[in-house]
Amino acid sequence: LRFGTSTIDKIYSYHSNISKESENSKYYFAPPWSDRDLNNLRDDFPKPIFHIIKSDQLKGNKFLEKITGNENNKFICLTVRDKSYLQYAYPQNSNWEYHNYRDNNIDDFIPLIKKLNQNNFHVFRMGKTAEKEISYQDKMFTDYPFLNEKSDFLDFFLASRCEFCISTSLGFDALPVMFRKPIFYTDVVPLNTIYTGVSKSINTLSLYYSQNENRYLTIQELFDREIYNFFDDTLFKENNI
């Protein structure tokens, strides 16, 4: 990969062209608007088909050395969704509230970050932007959205070099998947967006709590009541979930 202003657009176009192949083709990802790998083709190609050129790798290594003290230190990427990105990327649309059910509080992940730090993993909290800084400081933690050095290139580089990624399901996690990195999806919601086409992945679901019944709902109940496919925050509120 050579990084320029159109790099991401070219990758998206490449992926879209694959997706538009016939359903009878082995290389069909379909539907065209989706990144779901219906035929587990990633397992047919266990090595990444994208590679970062050597000069850019050296640039990335300098960044790692500056931040972690050693370019070979182990690190993971943590990506947690909040309201900020859509407001930043699409300011012309002022109403993104229907996505609120997908948001998480980054401070809820502090115990996880501490545990990873204790096991000698540096943690990069990823993101182009973020609603707030985390209430945690440690030499083995980097709040990347608030770094002046953050860039599209570093997004790709860190995704290509991390040991694994932890994600609440948002755009960035496509990069570690592209580089064949293990990924842990947490708080997956809605249920029917669980990632089944990535073999190096683990999924945990969000818990659905019924305020009317004062208890958590079972997976069977989510299907029986057709709650499993709620894609709008309003639906959760109307059903007191």
Side-chain angles (χ1 to χ4, degrees):
L1 291 175
R2 287 185 178 275
F3 287 86
T5 56
S6 61
T7 299
I8 296 176
D9 289 339
K10 288 179 180 177
I11 292 174
Y12 179 81
S13 175
Y14 173 84
H15 180 268
S16 297
N17 288 336
I18 293 177
S19 299
K20 290 174 184 175
E21 295 293 331
S22 164
E23 279 192 46
N24 297 322
S25 168
K26 180 181 179 182
Y27 301 104
Y28 177 67
F29 273 69
W33 45 264
S34 173
D35 63 356
R36 190 174 293 278
D37 181 2
L38 297 178
N39 295 315
N40 291 83
L41 298 178
R42 294 183 183 92
D43 289 344
D44 290 345
F45 301 93
K47 293 183 179 180
I49 59 175
F50 294 103
H51 301 278
I52 296 176
I53 61 174
K54 187 173 181 180
S55 60
D56 279 336
Q57 289 185 32
L58 294 174
K59 182 170 70 173
N61 287 341
K62 289 182 179 179
F63 171 79
L64 284 178
E65 186 171 356
K66 174 185 175 181
I67 298 296
T68 72
N70 189 315
E71 66 183 58
N72 295 314
N73 281 342
K74 295 188 297 183
F75 68 89
I76 71 104
C77 291
L78 169 67
T79 178
V80 177
R81 191 187 188 282
D82 62 30
K83 298 178 179 65
S84 63
Y85 177 74
L86 291 177
Q87 295 170 352
Y88 164 84
Y90 306 101
Q92 68 277 13
N93 187 340
S94 59
N95 185 12
W96 294 105
E97 292 182 358
Y98 67 94
H99 273 295
N100 286 354
Y101 69 94
R102 299 173 58 199
D103 294 337
N104 284 269
N105 183 350
I106 185 62
D107 287 339
D108 292 341
F109 289 80
I110 290 176
L112 170 64
I113 296 169
K114 287 182 177 179
K115 191 68 174 179
L116 290 164
N117 291 163
Q118 291 167 5
N119 284 274
N120 296 317
F121 286 100
H122 192 102
V123 177
F124 285 90
R125 180 246 189 129
M126 300 302 297
K128 174 78 71 176
T129 182
E131 192 171 27
K132 67 174 185 178
E133 295 184 58
I134 195 171
S135 303
Y136 175 72
Q137 291 185 348
D138 191 275
K139 65 179 181 180
M140 295 189 68
F141 173 78
T142 301
D143 214 351
Y144 176 82
F146 299 95
L147 290 184
N148 291 331
E149 298 97 323
K150 71 177 183 289
S151 66
D152 287 346
F153 159 69
L154 285 174
D155 288 355
F156 277 80
F157 176 78
L158 293 172
S160 75
R161 287 284 298 275
C162 68
E163 297 294 319
F164 60 95
C165 175
I166 299 171
S167 174
T168 61
S169 302
L170 59 156
F172 172 82
D173 58 43
L175 298 182
V177 169
M178 186 175 78
F179 288 107
R180 306 301 189 264
K181 297 295 183 179
I183 186 163
F184 173 46
Y185 298 100
T186 183
D187 289 342
V188 175
V189 60
L191 178 60
N192 62 344
T193 61
I194 191 169
Y195 290 80
T196 58
V198 182
S199 61
K200 292 182 178 180
S201 68
I202 298 173
N203 290 264
T204 63
L205 307 178
S206 278
L207 299 177
Y208 290 66
Y209 187 83
S210 170
Q211 294 177 323
N212 294 335
E213 302 171 56
N214 294 318
R215 66 177 179 85
Y216 292 105
L217 301 179
T218 66
I219 292 178
Q220 187 61 54
E221 288 172 329
L222 298 183
F223 282 103
D224 291 343
R225 304 180 191 185
E226 298 188 356
I227 298 170
Y228 70 94
N229 64 346
F230 280 5
F231 276 89
D232 192 314
D233 193 66
T234 303
L235 294 173
F236 288 91
K237 290 178 178 177
E238 288 176 349
N239 288 272
N240 292 320
I241 294 173

